[in-house]
Amino acid sequence: METDRDLIIIGGGAAGLTAAQYGARGNLSVLVIEQMAAGGQALLIDDLENYPGFPEPVKGFDISQKMEQQAVKFGAEITYASVASVKKEGNVFVVKTDRDELKALSVIIATGSQHRNLNVPGEKEFTGRGVSYCATCDGPFFKDKKILVVGGGDAACDEATYLSNLTDKIIMIHRRDRFRAQKALAERVLNNPHIEVRFNHELKEIMGSQKVEKVRLLNNRENNEYEEDTDAVFIFIGSIPQTAMIQDVKLDEAGYIVTDRKMETNIRGLFAAGDVRSTPFRQVVVAAGEGAVAAHSVSQYIDELRGEAYK
Ligand code: NAP
């Protein structure tokens, strides 16, 4: 079986880089294909305070760089390209990118997920001009300004807390009467004097001339619409798994890839790890753990394929 690599990993976030490190250290030839910059969603985390082994918060950027260095140290290669398709032909996976076509015995999908849009009038027009999906990236532009945060999950609570260090004028709206976020994160927001929480509120429109100036909100309990001045709108309403490059893989009802406990999908030799996988808890540590399991399973799969499995 002639292939370019034993293992191709699509996505260079915590799951992909950990899988690369484990795979390369286990003597597989490993290539990571990353679209943008290695690190994935973790890159955007300002203070990562729950990654084991780091009692003081670490920058997502710093830990991502270290994960990349560690994978490369053990022999993994990283290339930058956009993957168009993954197809299995016999026992070989053909991975087509915007640059070339590569063959591997096994593939791990670790493509993560991308932010979801609210799809309200003004959102697209004002993206980059007051509408943002990343507090660490854009928050500093709105120091001491008024900010509206939309969402009720972990991301919204985390990011609102980060923004509250930059301004004391934050309004956070959530469509229901309680947060979905973990209790610790929700309580941090509810007890934060810089954040005014308005439950049962929806964002209906974002308005302005050159940049965001105001929004139209709906109080869905009282069925009352009103306008509110704001300088920025930060939207954190969940994410969409990145699975477009692979056909015939089993997905759950939300579109995330279903695997068994070895991280193997319904397609033999195709594995998935991290935020793109159907999992109840999306964390950097979980993604890293899943990456390690996936690489270990790949190793066993390739041994079986080559008739070298130790039984
Ligand atoms: P999430 O947990 O899916 O929460 C999305 C939130 O957005 C929910 O509160 C949801 O409202 C709301 N929402 C969804 N669609 C909406 C719409 N069209 N209009 C208004 N609101 C809408 O997503 P997430 O917060 O991005 O987190 C994603 C994953 O990353 C989770 O597994 C989370 O645990 C993890 N994460 C963890 C941390 C951490 O531990 N520090 C930080 C960030 C993310 P409903 O509640 O009404 O459904």
Side-chain angles (χ1 to χ4, degrees):
M1 280 167 288
E2 271 298 298
T3 58
D4 300 291
R5 298 289 191 291
D6 295 327
L7 168 62
I8 288 179
I9 298 168
I10 306 173
L17 292 174
T18 308
Q21 186 230 120
Y22 271 74
R25 194 164 171 269
N27 219 19
L28 299 175
S29 61
V30 178
L31 177 70
V32 178
I33 306 178
E34 165 58 43
Q35 198 168 3
M36 309 260 273
Q41 295 280 338
L43 277 177
L44 306 178
I45 302 174
D46 186 52
D47 280 339
L48 181 58
E49 61 180 19
N50 56 4
Y51 198 84
F54 296 89
E56 295 307 320
V58 273
K59 300 283 167 216
F61 179 82
D62 294 342
I63 203 163
S64 301
Q65 282 214 319
K66 288 203 161 73
M67 284 184 187
E68 182 182 348
Q69 285 163 10
Q70 202 173 1
V72 169
K73 188 181 105 178
F74 285 115
E77 291 168 77
I78 301 179
T79 189
Y80 295 89
S82 175
V83 173
S85 68
V86 178
K87 284 200 180 99
K88 192 173 180 188
E89 293 175 4
N91 277 331
V92 171
F93 287 90
V94 179
V95 178
K96 270 195 191 152
T97 75
D98 52 358
R99 295 216 310 263
D100 47 19
E101 190 175 287
L102 295 158
K103 290 184 176 154
L105 293 176
S106 183
V107 168
I108 298 176
I109 309 277
T111 42
S113 55
Q114 270 193 352
H115 69 78
R116 179 180 287 133
N117 292 325
L118 203 46
N119 294 323
V120 294
E123 181 179 11
K124 223 188 212 163
E125 296 87 313
F126 290 111
T127 294
R129 292 189 288 141
V131 171
S132 171
Y133 304 86
C134 174
T136 36
C137 318
D138 299 326
F141 295 122
F142 301 99
K143 197 167 178 333
D144 297 324
K145 303 271 191 201
K146 189 167 167 186
I147 295 177
L148 182 88
V149 173
V150 186
D154 286 348
C157 287
D158 248 358
E159 306 276 308
T161 304
Y162 170 78
L163 291 168
S164 74
N165 296 316
L166 300 170
T167 178
D168 58 1
K169 294 184 278 286
I170 297 179
I171 297 175
M172 183 165 174
I173 64 161
H174 179 39
R175 64 184 177 183
R176 291 192 299 149
D177 63 353
R178 75 182 73 162
F179 285 135
R180 175 180 293 278
Q182 301 165 57
K183 222 174 185 171
L185 300 178
E187 277 174 7
R188 201 173 290 172
V189 166
L190 291 167
N191 294 325
N192 189 320
H194 294 181
I195 306 174
E196 179 197 335
V197 177
R198 296 185 193 168
F199 287 119
N200 292 106
H201 270 67
E202 297 170 30
L203 176 61
K204 289 296 178 192
E205 189 177 354
I206 302 167
M207 296 169 279
S209 49
Q210 294 307 307
K211 54 187 179 57
V212 171
E213 286 165 10
K214 59 184 175 178
V215 288
R216 189 160 52 83
L217 300 177
L218 168 70
N219 177 333
N220 60 25
R221 176 168 281 173
E222 291 166 10
N223 202 17
N224 168 36
E225 277 197 359
Y226 63 97
E227 289 184 359
E228 179 84 40
D229 289 345
T230 189
D231 298 299
V233 178
F234 281 77
I235 300 171
F236 308 107
I237 57 162
S239 45
I240 301 168
Q242 300 301 294
T243 59
M245 79 294 294
I246 178 83
Q247 307 297 311
D248 303 325
V249 72
K250 190 174 173 203
L251 305 176
D252 68 12
E253 60 288 346
Y256 292 88
I257 298 176
V258 174
T259 73
D260 62 14
R261 62 198 182 94
K262 294 171 88 177
M263 306 295 142
E264 191 165 21
T265 68
N266 58 312
I267 300 170
R268 256 325 249 142
L270 181 74
F271 297 77
D275 284 6
V276 75
R277 196 179 85 88
S278 181
T279 173
F281 198 37
R282 293 192 171 83
Q283 300 280 298
V284 182
V285 67
V286 175
E290 290 183 1
V293 174
H296 180 68
S297 305
V298 165
S299 215
Q300 289 181 332
Y301 168 76
I302 290 179
D303 281 352
E304 275 172 35
L305 211 58
R306 289 179 170 151
E308 294 169 359
Y310 181 77
K311 303 214 172 173

